[in-house]
Amino acid sequence: MREQQGLTLTRRHLLKGVVGGAAGLVLGASRRVSAAAAQAVSGTTVPGNSAVQRLADNLFVLQLPGEANLVLQTSANGVVLVDGGSAKVADALMKMIGELSRGGQVQTLFNTHWHPEQTGLNEALGKAGTTIISHENTRLWLSTDITWSWNGQQFKRLPKVAQPNKTFYSTGQLDSGIRYGYIPDAAHTDGDMYVYFPTQNVLVVGDAVSNQGWPVVDWQTGGWIGGIAGATQRLQTLANADTRIVPARGAVMNLAELKAQATMYATIYDRLTTLLNKGRGPSEAVAAKPTKEFDAQMGNPDEFVRRAFESLWAYLSPDA
Ligand SMILES: [Zn+2]
């Protein structure tokens, strides 16, 4: 995006500090949380609906098979929704939302980034008058056609009514106290945002953090491996030991798990930049197995390593 040039120096500068500090800070962090800790973060499943996890009386995570997580808060003033699933499950989701909120209207929808797995309800809710909030970069991506260079996948721009109708650059707050903000590291895209529910101490982070295998590094729209290392570090400052952290993929996490991820991605970032500085390319990076001690837990890394390495090229020469 247009602001990429201006941000480049800041991000690089920041990352140096982030990665340098990470090594010392997180050495003691355990990669695995105890079963008790996992239980504490997971909440309970709503009886009769295994796709709904209750985090608090009025706060739920919706996890339909193959879909990204949604977070839903009900209140007398209506529903607040973080992300909207893909368009093919829009009807099913609207039904679930209606049941959980006893017919409440969705007042606010956040798009944590532009991907179709997050924006499938935008059109229906936009037409219904919902306030759709995103970072300005996310709105820009949703108002243009996008093709991923690595596999040719195409994404059509959304109609105007489906685009975010309230955007921000840094942070914001709803009247109810819910806070939100930009994640400027560009972990997944350059429009990543978080939403924090202070009453329930729940932090929703979208795809800036993955808790289900290796993440997608969408460098086409600004994401990069340094951003993943930076964001997993930065988001720790918004959480405490009791915060439940909801990623777009996988189970609800706690701070210890986020710290472990930050350590891992700092290591991987370090190795990939070393390979880059030696003049290696993406295939050589894959062959060097820069994630080897994490693969047993995380799965086959080849696609991730390739994208992550390409993201260094894209990031360091944005006009190339
Ligand atoms: Zn995504």
Side-chain angles (χ1 to χ4, degrees), residues 68 112-118 148 188-189 192 206-208 216 218 248-249:
T112 58
H113 58 291
W114 69 267
H115 285 160
E117 294 88 346
Q118 276 70 36
W148 276 348
H188 184 63
T189 72
D192 298 344
D207 269 325
V216 172
D218 182 357
R249 299 278 176 181

Side-chain angles (χ1 to χ4, degrees), residues 77-137:
N77 297 322
V79 172
V80 173
L81 195 59
V82 186
D83 288 329
S86 65
K88 66 177 186 289
V89 294
D91 291 345
L93 282 170
M94 286 309 289
K95 190 162 172 283
M96 287 171 76
I97 293 163
E99 285 168 4
L100 286 167
S101 66
R102 299 193 179 87
Q105 298 296 307
V106 180
Q107 298 297 321
T108 306
L109 167 68
F110 290 99
N111 290 155
T112 58
H113 58 291
W114 69 267
H115 285 160
E117 294 88 346
Q118 276 70 36
T119 52
L121 283 182
N122 278 35
E123 186 158 356
L125 291 178
K127 283 176 180 164
T130 296
T131 302
I132 304 176
I133 301 177
S134 78
H135 187 269
E136 174 64 10
N137 287 349

Side-chain angles (χ1 to χ4, degrees), residues 282-307:
S283 296
E284 292 163 305
V286 171
K289 301 194 182 307
T291 60
K292 54 183 180 300
E293 71 267 46
F294 310 115
D295 293 345
Q297 184 182 352
M298 299 292 290
N300 185 316
D302 294 356
E303 175 87 2
F304 162 70
V305 171
R306 188 171 293 277
R307 283 299 93 68

Side-chain angles (χ1 to χ4, degrees), residues 111-243:
N111 290 155
T112 58
H113 58 291
W114 69 267
H115 285 160
E117 294 88 346
Q118 276 70 36
T119 52
L121 283 182
N122 278 35
E123 186 158 356
L125 291 178
K127 283 176 180 164
T130 296
T131 302
I132 304 176
I133 301 177
S134 78
H135 187 269
E136 174 64 10
N137 287 349
T138 293
R139 187 190 68 78
L140 290 172
W141 289 125
L142 287 170
S143 57
T144 191
D145 297 341
I146 292 167
T147 303
W148 276 348
S149 306
W150 52 88
N151 64 5
Q153 192 172 347
Q154 296 182 331
F155 304 90
K156 281 273 170 240
R157 71 189 72 189
L158 294 187
K160 181 77 181 165
V161 70
Q163 293 170 15
N165 48 40
K166 182 178 177 185
T167 62
F168 69 99
Y169 286 98
S170 54
T171 58
Q173 186 167 336
L174 302 183
D175 292 341
S176 59
I178 294 168
R179 301 199 290 269
Y180 54 92
Y182 188 37
I183 309 172
D185 312 276
H188 184 63
T189 72
D190 65 11
D192 298 344
M193 70 174 292
Y194 68 84
V195 181
Y196 181 65
F197 294 84
T199 310
Q200 304 91 344
N201 195 9
V202 169
L203 178 65
V204 188
V205 296
D207 269 325
V209 179
S210 168
N211 198 23
Q212 192 177 75
W214 295 110
V216 172
V217 189
D218 182 357
W219 55 257
Q220 195 86 47
T221 62
W224 73 303
I225 179 62
I228 298 175
T232 47
Q233 188 80 12
R234 177 191 304 274
L235 289 168
Q236 294 175 34
T237 65
L238 300 172
N240 59 37
D242 299 322
T243 306

